[in-house]
Amino acid sequence: VSRAPGPGRSRRTRMLEGLLASKTKARSIPAQIAILTRRAYLKGVRDRDFWYRMLFIPLLQFAFYAILFVWTRSSGGGMAAYDGWTPEDDEYITVLHLISAKRSFLYQTLTAAVITETAVLAECYTEQRAFRREHAAGGYSAAAYHLQWAFRLMAQALWKAVLFGSVVYWAPYQFAPTAEAFFYFIAVFALLSSTGSAFSLLMISFIPDPEGAGTAHNAIVSVLLQFSGFYLPACLMPPVVNIPYVISFGKFAFEGLLQNEFGDQPYGSRWSYYGYQSMDPVLSKWTNLLALGLYPFVFHALAFVFTFLHTRPRSFWTRFDSEAKRAERVARARLEPPPGSSAPPTQQL
C-alpha cells in the first residue's frame, strides 16, 4: 500500500502507524474497557438474537419451572389422602412430599441458572475473533478485554437474578417466607449465573472453537451439577468418588439453599423432617455463599491466562524450548541433517 507524504496523511493514519511502530496501546486500560463495553452493548441492542437468547428464552424456562411447582401451594400440598390414613399420617406424608418437591425446585433452578449461560459461548467466540485482530494491531490489551467481560457478565448476572429469581421464587410452597431467605436466594442465583457465564468464557478462551468449547463445557458442567448432593449425599459415596463433589460449585449452592430453606426451623417442629432429606451439610449457609462467590473470579482469571498465552508471539514460546530443540528446528529450516545425525545434508534445488 502506497503511503502519502507526511503532511498529506490524516491524523488517524499517522496515529495508527505510530501505534504499530511503538507496539503500545493507544489508550489506558480504563479507556479500553469503556470502549469495548460500549461497543458490546451497542451491538447487543441492535442484535435481535441477543435479546432473544438472553431474555426471552430464559424467561420462558423459569416461568415453566414456576408453573411446574405451583401445585405445591394447593390444599394438602397437592397430595391426595389414601383410605385408612390418620391425620398424623396425612401430615407426615404431606410434609415429606413438600420437602422433596422444594429440593427438586431448588436443584432445577440452580441448574437452569448455570445452563442458560451457555449462550455466552457464541457471543464470546464472535468477539474473540475481532479482539485477536485488534490485539495483534496493538489496539486492545488482553487485560482490558477480560476486565470488560468480567464487568459485563457480573452486571448481567445481577439483573438476571433479580428478574428471573423474582419470577420463580414465590411459585412453590414457602416454608419460611422471610426477606432474608428471598434475598439469599437472589444472591445465590446471581453467583450461579456469574459462575456459568465465567465458565463459558473460560472454555472458549481455552478452546477457541465453538463446537469443541461447547462439548467440553457441557461435559464438565453436567458432572459438577450431578455431584451437587441432590441425587446422592456425599456421606454415601466413597472418598475417591467425592472429588467432583468437593470442587463442585453446585455443592455450595445447593447446600446453602437447603440451609436457607430449612436450616432455621426449630428441632422438633414438623419441618425438622428435613433431617431425613439432608445432604449432610458441613458448612453454614453464609460460608457456602462465600465459597460460591470465589468461582467467578477464579474462572475469569484462568480465562485471562489462556487468552494471554494464545496471543503470545512465537518468540515467547521458543524461550521454553531446550537448546537441542532449537538446534533441531534451525537445522530443519536450513534443510540440514539434525544435530548428531549421520545422514547426508539435503541438497537444495
Side-chain angles (χ1 to χ4, degrees):
V1 178
S2 59
R3 296 182 178 178
R9 286 178 295 165
S10 65
R11 180 182 178 185
R12 181 177 181 181
T13 302
R14 294 196 304 269
M15 183 177 66
L16 180 58
E17 291 177 358
L19 176 64
L20 295 177
S22 61
K23 297 183 180 180
T24 58
K25 302 301 180 289
R27 295 177 177 85
S28 63
I29 295 257
Q32 295 176 48
I33 294 174
I35 294 172
L36 290 170
T37 303
R38 179 177 178 273
R39 184 176 69 179
Y41 277 116
L42 287 177
K43 179 180 178 297
V45 170
R46 297 167 184 168
D47 187 4
R48 295 181 180 179
D49 292 339
F50 175 82
W51 295 105
Y52 183 77
R53 66 176 183 267
M54 287 294 177
L55 181 62
F56 184 67
I57 294 298
L59 185 60
L60 286 181
Q61 185 172 7
F62 287 107
F64 169 77
Y65 287 132
I67 297 173
L68 186 64
F69 289 93
V70 74
W71 62 268
T72 58
R73 285 187 170 274
S74 59
S75 176
M79 311 309 306
Y82 289 91
D83 294 336
W85 278 9
T86 64
E88 291 76 12
D89 294 334
D90 183 58
E91 180 181 2
Y92 176 80
I93 297 299
T94 299
V95 170
L96 287 185
H97 278 296
L98 286 175
I99 290 176
S100 179
K102 194 57 178 282
R103 292 179 78 251
S104 300
F105 165 79
L106 294 175
Y107 178 74
Q108 294 291 342
T109 302
L110 74 88
T111 301
V114 176
I115 295 299
T116 52
E117 297 302 329
T118 310
V120 176
L121 284 169
E123 186 182 0
C124 290
Y125 177 69
T126 303
E127 292 194 17
Q128 184 186 73
R129 297 174 63 186
F131 161 74
R132 291 193 175 180
R133 292 193 301 267
E134 296 165 346
H135 176 77
Y140 303 104
S141 67
Y145 172 73
H146 277 281
L147 284 174
Q148 64 89 22
W149 263 118
F151 295 150
R152 283 169 50 198
L153 293 179
M154 289 180 182
Q156 180 176 292
L158 184 59
W159 70 257
K160 281 185 175 182
V162 173
L163 177 60
F164 302 146
S166 300
V167 168
V168 76
Y169 178 77
W170 301 104
Y173 181 86
Q174 300 297 319
F175 291 89
T178 63
E180 178 183 327
F182 171 71
F183 286 112
Y184 184 90
F185 175 83
I186 294 297
V188 171
F189 194 114
L191 290 176
L192 282 171
S193 180
S194 182
T195 299
S197 59
F199 189 72
S200 296
L201 178 62
L202 170 60
M203 286 293 99
I204 202 65
S205 301
F206 177 56
I207 308 173
D209 172 70
E211 183 177 356
T215 302
H217 174 279
N218 294 337
I220 297 174
V221 166
S222 61
V223 171
L224 294 179
L225 290 177
Q226 286 176 0
F227 282 85
S228 61
F230 175 74
Y231 295 106
L232 191 64
C235 59
L236 301 180
M237 293 186 285
V240 176
V241 183
N242 274 345
I243 295 177
Y245 178 82
V246 174
I247 64 175
S248 172
F249 48 80
K251 175 260 183 187
F252 298 105
F254 189 57
E255 184 177 307
L257 288 173
L258 286 180
Q259 293 203 4
N260 180 60
E261 193 67 34
F262 306 109
D264 296 335
Q265 300 302 320
Y267 181 78
S269 67
R270 61 177 184 159
W271 307 124
S272 66
Y273 290 121
Y274 155 70
Y276 296 103
Q277 300 280 342
S278 174
M279 55 176 289
D280 191 27
V282 295
L283 301 175
S284 68
K285 69 177 187 178
W286 300 111
T287 306
N288 281 302
L289 187 68
L290 180 61
L292 181 63
L294 297 177
Y295 280 87
F297 296 99
V298 172
F299 290 157
H300 278 293
L302 291 176
F304 166 73
V305 170
F306 287 121
T307 296
F308 176 82
L309 295 177
H310 276 302
T311 55
R312 293 303 89 196
R314 185 173 300 177
S315 59
F316 173 83
W317 296 104
T318 56
R319 291 185 298 174
F320 301 97
D321 290 347
S322 63
E323 292 291 340
K325 288 184 178 180
R326 282 200 293 269
E328 182 180 353
R329 187 168 54 251
V330 170
R332 189 165 55 248
R334 295 176 178 176
L335 300 179
E336 298 175 352
S341 175
S342 59
T346 305
Q347 296 181 356
Q348 298 186 16
L349 299 178

